[in-house]
Amino acid sequence: MEARRLLICYAHPDDESFGLGAAIPKWIADGVDVFLICATNGEVGHVPAALRGKFATVAELRLSELACARQHLRFKDVFMLGYRDSGMRGSETTSHPDSLAYQWRYHPERVRRDVMAVMRQVQPQIVITFNRYGGYGHPDHIAIQRAAVGAFERLQGEAGDRNGYRPQKLYYAAYPKISLRMRIWRARLKGQDPRRMGINQDVDTLQSLASIEPVHARIPIAPYLGIWEKASRCHASQGGGKITRASRLLRRLLYRKQGFTRVYPPPSHNRVDEDDLFAGVEFKAGG
């Protein structure tokens, strides 16, 4: 039977570990070939002083962290698109001509074509990307989300691929509401503005909560939380190393399942009806 293939379309080194660090090893344990698109090299990510100077550039540091995470997540392959990290909305770095945000703004077909080329090469049945708000409004998250959806629709549409390939299912990775609500509650308890969170106070957690979309699938990930933690620790420059006993316990209580929003085939209702993203996928005999 044809191999099960799944492609994750994300923006930065660390998105794969922080977002799907337990789901990925679960799929691999189930025999799925998991592929990753990482659209940028993470040049604009904040780096703590203790980690500066160990690499010539921030990009080299971020890519070394991704290489570390790959040892735990065991992707079948990773495709680097090579765009420059744009930084958050409103930053001067979003105007850099090599940045993903700039390229998506002025040359969307190029970005869409890059994603489509990977889809044609990998031929995944399942494609996963961010929700329409990009999780927390990051321009690169939104750009790769739009490009992935556009590429999926082109290949799924009437034209399809010249070799007959069509992806079958498209999902957005869901962010659990309870985590955002707890973050908002803690911010307010400390007298912080939940609309101005993060190191640069450019993350609007209230908008992130309002942008969460319905969940149609939940897959069990509890046995793989340890791998999630190891992969996350690799991204120390982005805070992945800050895992406390309390946060570990909270993760084990709240993250026993990973949610997904099914975009295609479009759901007829907004309730959970899947515990396997490959449910309903058609496989070619002898593939």
Side-chain angles (χ1 to χ4, degrees):
M1 186 175 75
E2 181 184 14
R4 289 183 292 171
R5 296 180 296 275
L6 183 150
L7 174 65
I8 299 165
C9 300
Y10 274 175
H12 308 107
D14 75 29
D15 291 337
E16 79 300 325
S17 297
F18 294 164
L20 295 174
I24 292 164
K26 185 265 189 297
W27 287 318
I28 292 172
D30 289 345
V32 177
D33 290 342
V34 182
F35 300 84
L36 172 69
I37 284 178
C38 182
T40 79
N41 296 334
E43 291 90 342
V44 184
H46 174 78
V47 176
L51 294 175
R52 294 173 193 166
K54 295 184 178 181
F55 292 85
T57 64
V58 173
E60 286 184 19
L61 167 61
R62 300 291 301 279
L63 293 177
S64 74
E65 292 178 335
L66 176 58
C68 170
R70 288 183 66 178
Q71 295 179 24
H72 303 290
L73 298 180
R74 307 289 183 183
F75 291 107
K76 188 76 173 180
D77 204 352
V78 173
F79 297 86
M80 304 299 302
L81 299 189
Y83 292 98
R84 193 176 191 274
D85 187 348
S86 306
M88 286 296 288
R89 184 170 43 197
S91 303
E92 292 182 5
T93 49
T94 60
S95 298
H96 193 291
D98 294 332
S99 73
L100 180 59
Y102 182 97
Q103 286 293 315
W104 178 250
R105 191 181 308 126
Y106 296 107
H107 308 287
E109 189 57 32
R110 175 192 171 190
V111 185
R112 192 181 298 115
R113 204 165 48 237
D114 285 348
V115 175
M116 197 180 306
V118 175
M119 288 187 184
R120 282 182 167 137
Q121 179 177 341
V122 170
Q123 297 196 358
Q125 296 96 357
I126 309 292
V127 176
I128 296 173
T129 188
F130 297 104
N131 68 11
R132 285 175 290 184
Y133 187 59
Y136 57 91
H138 196 296
D140 288 339
H141 292 192
I142 293 172
I144 194 63
Q145 188 272 347
R146 301 289 193 274
V149 171
F152 182 96
E153 290 175 344
R154 291 271 185 94
L155 290 172
Q156 228 293 320
E158 290 184 8
D161 178 70
R162 55 184 171 271
N163 295 319
Y165 162 69
R166 283 181 172 85
Q168 297 185 43
K169 300 179 81 175
L170 173 65
Y171 290 89
Y172 299 156
Y175 197 93
K177 287 185 178 181
I178 190 170
S179 296
L180 275 176
R181 285 173 176 156
M182 289 179 65
R183 187 176 181 188
I184 292 166
W185 175 78
R186 286 197 300 266
R188 286 173 170 161
L189 195 64
K190 296 177 180 179
Q192 298 172 338
D193 182 356
R195 290 195 180 277
R196 298 179 61 83
M197 300 293 290
I199 295 172
N200 299 313
Q201 297 186 333
D202 50 11
V203 176
D204 184 342
T205 51
L206 294 182
Q207 185 58 51
S208 296
L209 180 62
S211 301
I212 288 178
E213 303 186 43
V215 172
H216 307 106
R218 292 191 189 278
I219 67 169
I221 59 171
Y224 305 96
L225 294 178
I227 299 178
W228 187 2
E229 181 175 318
K230 290 177 182 177
S232 295
R233 283 187 182 279
C234 287
H235 297 286
S237 72
Q238 306 306 300
K242 297 177 182 178
I243 300 173
T244 64
R245 183 177 300 177
S247 64
R248 184 180 295 116
L249 176 61
L250 193 63
R251 178 175 284 184
R252 294 190 180 279
L253 288 173
L254 300 180
Y255 292 90
R256 302 188 66 80
K257 292 187 177 182
Q258 173 75 52
F260 297 90
T261 299
R262 188 172 67 249
V263 183
Y264 190 91
S268 59
H269 47 255
N270 285 327
R271 66 172 185 266
V272 175
D273 61 5
E274 293 180 323
D275 59 8
D276 177 8
L277 303 194
F278 284 87
V281 168
E282 297 180 1
F283 298 97
K284 300 174 185 177

